[in-house]
Amino acid sequence: MQRLQQAATHQHFFYTSGRTDLAGFDRLTKKFADVYGTELSRQTKHKRRLAGEASSLLHGVRLTTRSENGQRSVDWVLLVSEGRGLVIQREQLQDLRDPHSRLKSSDQQHELVHDGKTWSWRLTHRSYNQCLDRIHRIASLSPDRRRYIEIDGVLRDADAEILLDRLYAEPGFRLVRRQVGKLVGELRRDWRRLRPSNGPQLSERSFLAYIRFLPDQPVINGLTHAERRQAFLSAFPDQAGTPMARGHG
């Protein structure tokens, strides 16, 4: 999600996307690199854009679900800037700036938008309204349907705490953070209005942290570098000081 946001910020407004398995993504990576130059250096792409040519980026994320052949699935997005090129001719590209074709996350819960200031991810209207409905249902539950748990020796409402856990686990993009703040505020207002002051109260939470910049994790033979390193250490635990174990292999 962070990489897609960065691509949009650098004017890669057009995209196409899909889902495949690891083997299919490997073939797609090689094909797009050969035909569309997705793996050219940043400087080369910049020069081509200055010359009026389109530049392309390919990003993928592995999912927990598996394809029919048992492999892990990969959601991929090809992003393209304005300009000339085969990618413009061959691919059916959608425009990030069109409200009817906004790019959504793999779970379909978030969408990439420009709010007049910059590009950021936010909860979709559907996801946001589902959270609002859940807030109102939880706060208005009748006493016989309320569930309680003890957290650090304090009695809390189980459903409310589960919802707060989910909200504070959201990715901390600027617009998502703003939405989470509004949702938590709504929950606290409903709680004061509908729940007794002498009953279990909502736990205090720290603010939703901003997204940190994370490095890319290229996949080679179905494994990221971190996964290959872990596999190496599992097979050779006495080699912790080797270049591979130090992250240079």
Side-chain angles (χ1 to χ4, degrees):
M1 292 171 71
Q2 187 182 62
R3 291 298 180 270
L4 301 178
Q5 178 193 41
Q6 291 173 328
T9 301
H10 291 92
Q11 300 184 336
H12 287 74
F13 296 138
F14 305 100
Y15 77 96
T16 185
S17 60
R19 178 173 293 181
T20 184
D21 56 23
L22 284 171
F25 183 67
D26 187 54
R27 291 191 297 270
L28 203 65
T29 299
K30 294 174 182 176
K31 172 188 173 182
F32 286 170
D34 291 340
V35 181
Y36 302 147
T38 52
E39 296 186 4
L40 293 173
S41 69
R42 187 180 305 173
Q43 293 79 5
T44 299
K45 290 180 179 181
H46 179 65
K47 290 178 181 178
R48 291 193 173 189
R49 287 198 298 274
L50 291 178
E53 298 180 29
S55 66
S56 303
L57 305 168
L58 177 64
H59 292 296
V61 61
R62 282 191 306 178
L63 308 178
T64 56
T65 56
R66 294 183 180 272
S67 61
E68 293 180 357
N69 60 12
Q71 286 204 44
R72 292 272 291 276
S73 296
V74 177
D75 272 3
W76 59 267
V77 182
L78 177 69
L79 297 120
V80 182
S81 69
E82 293 182 322
R84 306 181 304 273
L86 286 176
V87 65
I88 300 294
Q89 302 169 18
R90 294 184 178 181
E91 301 294 334
Q92 295 184 346
L93 300 172
Q94 301 185 75
D95 194 331
L96 292 173
R97 298 165 296 185
D98 185 345
H100 301 292
S101 61
R102 283 179 175 147
L103 183 60
K104 291 183 171 56
S105 58
S106 295
D107 60 8
Q108 299 294 304
Q109 300 295 306
H110 307 83
E111 60 184 1
L112 185 60
V113 300
H114 196 290
D115 68 342
K117 182 178 180 181
T118 186
W119 288 92
S120 183
W121 290 91
R122 72 179 182 190
L123 293 167
T124 64
H125 291 305
R126 180 180 179 183
S127 298
Y128 187 87
N129 289 332
Q130 285 176 339
C131 287
L132 279 178
D133 291 341
R134 188 175 174 187
I135 284 170
H136 298 323
R137 287 199 308 270
I138 290 173
S140 60
L141 279 175
S142 59
D144 60 305
R145 297 180 60 194
R146 297 170 188 171
R147 301 184 302 137
Y148 301 110
I149 55 174
E150 190 174 293
I151 302 176
D152 297 330
V154 179
L155 197 64
R156 304 289 187 187
D157 184 276
D159 295 308
E161 295 303 316
I162 290 172
L163 176 58
L164 285 171
D165 286 344
R166 181 213 156 171
L167 291 176
Y168 280 94
E170 286 288 338
F173 294 99
R174 180 174 56 88
L175 296 182
V176 172
R177 294 178 73 255
R178 184 183 301 173
Q179 289 175 308
V180 168
K182 291 180 179 180
L183 290 168
V184 172
E186 184 72 14
L187 175 60
R188 296 194 181 281
R189 284 190 292 273
D190 268 10
W191 210 258
R192 289 192 295 268
R193 182 170 60 89
L194 298 171
R195 292 296 185 104
S197 59
N198 60 350
Q201 300 301 304
L202 301 172
S203 63
E204 294 296 329
R205 305 292 180 108
S206 59
F207 71 96
L208 180 60
Y210 287 98
I211 288 288
R212 295 182 298 109
F213 183 85
L214 299 174
D216 284 329
Q217 297 189 54
V219 175
I220 301 174
N221 295 328
L223 297 175
T224 65
H225 175 80
E227 291 168 333
R228 286 184 286 119
R229 179 186 178 190
Q230 184 59 48
F232 177 86
L233 291 176
S234 297
F236 305 100
D238 58 337
Q239 300 294 313
T242 63
M244 169 64 111
R246 293 198 300 269
H248 303 297

